[in-house]
Amino acid sequence: MIDGIWWLVILIAVVIGLWLFAKTRAPKSTDLHDTKSKLKNKPMNDALQKTAKMIKQDFPDYGVTRKGNHLLVSRQNTKIAMITIDPKLAASQRRLGDIPVINYQRVPSRAQLDANLHDAE
């Protein structure tokens, strides 16, 4: 009977020790708050914002929806193209199902957008 109680005491002590060790290694609440505020203050992809603004101004027939790191371009509620801006990737076109994915390395010119959107249709 006494042997069983000692094993229980040792087990509880080990669990408490591991919990304290994990608590000391966890990030502090202020560090977590600072990380979240840094992410909120990080500016959105300016090139995507400029491209969306350009499409809205120069191509009124097309609708633009921002989804994370890409723009969805639609016309009459049908998706026409997906536009991404990533300087690490080569400027190119590929397809995602039936929708072309157009990657630019910087904000495209109006002529580039016009050509690519007409090709996408």
Side-chain angles (χ1 to χ4, degrees):
M1 181 79 174
I2 293 177
D3 291 332
I5 292 175
W6 281 110
W7 281 109
L8 184 62
V9 170
I10 291 170
L11 180 66
I12 291 173
V14 168
V15 169
I16 290 173
L18 289 174
W19 179 76
L20 289 173
F21 179 71
K23 186 171 173 86
T24 59
R25 301 225 357 131
K28 305 290 186 241
S29 62
T30 57
D31 294 339
L32 192 63
H33 175 44
D34 290 341
T35 305
K36 286 181 182 176
S37 66
K38 287 178 186 175
L39 289 176
K40 286 182 182 176
N41 292 336
K42 183 179 176 185
M44 299 290 280
N45 189 344
D46 290 335
L48 277 179
Q49 287 177 344
K50 290 177 184 176
T51 305
K53 186 177 178 183
M54 184 188 317
I55 292 172
K56 286 178 184 177
Q57 287 177 351
D58 296 336
F59 305 100
D61 297 341
Y62 295 101
V64 180
T65 306
R66 174 88 187 249
K67 299 282 186 175
N69 293 329
H70 60 271
L71 298 173
L72 286 177
V73 181
S74 59
R75 185 176 195 175
Q76 298 174 351
N77 294 328
T78 57
K79 294 176 185 171
I80 302 295
M82 182 185 303
I83 296 176
T84 61
I85 296 180
D86 191 356
K88 297 174 188 169
L89 297 175
S92 64
Q93 275 190 327
R94 58 188 187 279
R95 297 193 76 74
L96 182 64
D98 294 335
I99 301 172
V101 179
I102 305 165
N103 185 55
Y104 297 110
Q105 292 183 336
R106 58 182 183 273
V107 179
S109 67
R110 186 186 185 289
Q112 282 179 319
L113 273 176
D114 189 29
N116 287 335
L117 290 177
H118 285 299
D119 289 343
E121 287 187 81

